Amino acid sequence: MELEAAKMIGAGIACIALAGAGISIGMIFGNYLSAAMRNPSAAQKQFPNLLLGFALAEATGLFGLVVALIILFAF
């Protein structure tokens, strides 16, 4: 296998983390909205947890993107 083909395959596999991040962000906000509709008084207490979950899920996707870019352009 050529090096260029291996780089493309590796970068594509590393980008799977972006799909996982999108799914997890959707689940985080969907579950928060569902819980806020059931118990509006507790929604403000859970908002910091929402932001923390969003930040961690987004960071996972960004790490996958950085790994893909490193594979493509650094080697």
Side-chain angles (χ1 to χ4, degrees):
M1 179 183 295
E2 286 188 32
L3 179 63
E4 195 66 29
K7 286 169 60 172
M8 294 293 177
I9 291 171
I13 291 172
C15 284
I16 292 174
L18 297 173
I23 291 168
S24 64
I25 290 171
M27 289 179 62
I28 288 168
F29 279 101
N31 288 332
Y32 174 76
L33 183 62
S34 175
M37 291 294 126
R38 288 184 188 157
N39 190 0
S41 63
Q44 288 298 322
K45 294 178 184 174
Q46 294 302 317
F47 190 73
N49 292 335
L50 169 76
L51 294 180
L52 179 65
F54 168 73
L56 293 175
E58 188 68 26
T60 303
L62 290 176
F63 290 147
L65 179 64
V66 168
V67 167
L69 292 174
I70 287 172
I71 290 172
L72 284 178
F73 297 114
F75 293 112

